[in-house]
Amino acid sequence: MAMLQKLLKFKPVMQTLLQSEAGNRGFFRLGIAPNKIRWFHTNEQLRDIYEITDEQDFKNKVMRNSIPVIVNFHADWCEPCHSLKPLLEKIANENVGRLHLAEVLVDDHVDLLHAFEVEAIPAVLGIHRGIVTEKFVGLVSHKEVMDFVEKLLERTAK
């Protein structure tokens, strides 16, 4: 999306064309010349893994999402967090369209820590339609993470 924004900065005339072509599909085409058409892909719309930037971003991508979201509260200095993150990303990539993953850096979002009563990290919440349905804290086994995901998907399927 950053590349799209750069294009729009330098070519304001193209803004309407690009926005109408992009729609919600994540793909858009740009006519360079009458006989040359280039297709571009924007990853942000298709990607089910989010880095939360602020409280409003959290509300939009997590609390208002109709798809279940795994929220991973983590920190760069937390070793167990580094072990858990690849597994959660793998699960999100295997369940595209069924669940999303939101990454929350605790040092940058203390307000969210307090709001969700996170006292230790890694803390992983399963949120669906603004309600916490599942939760675990600390480094847990692969099986426990998979059970967490199954329960989250089962509860939200009802």
Side-chain angles (χ1 to χ4, degrees), residues 11 17 27 29 37 51 62 71 76 85-87 95 99 116 121-122 141 143 151-152:
K11 303 281 185 182
L17 170 69
F27 290 92
R29 70 180 197 175
I37 293 179
E51 289 286 337
V62 177
V71 181
D76 292 333
K85 187 175 178 176
L87 176 58
N95 290 283
L99 63 83
F116 289 95
I121 57 170
S141 71
K143 183 186 180 326
K151 287 178 188 175
L152 177 62

Side-chain angles (χ1 to χ4, degrees), residues 31-100:
I32 304 296
N35 60 349
K36 290 186 179 182
I37 293 179
R38 303 263 178 160
W39 286 92
F40 292 88
H41 176 266
T42 59
N43 288 337
E44 190 168 327
Q45 290 176 342
L46 298 178
R47 190 171 169 169
D48 292 335
I49 301 173
Y50 312 116
E51 289 286 337
I52 299 301
T53 57
D54 58 29
E55 192 173 338
Q56 189 62 41
D57 191 37
F58 186 84
K59 286 178 185 174
N60 291 335
K61 292 181 178 173
V62 177
M63 301 305 283
R64 295 179 182 147
N65 202 329
S66 61
I67 294 177
V69 181
I70 297 173
V71 181
N72 179 21
F73 287 93
H74 66 101
D76 292 333
W77 46 264
C78 170
E79 286 302 320
C81 299
H82 291 290
S83 300
L84 185 61
K85 187 175 178 176
L87 176 58
L88 295 175
E89 289 176 349
K90 180 181 176 205
I91 290 169
N93 289 328
E94 289 173 351
N95 290 283
V96 172
R98 295 180 61 208
L99 63 83
H100 295 174

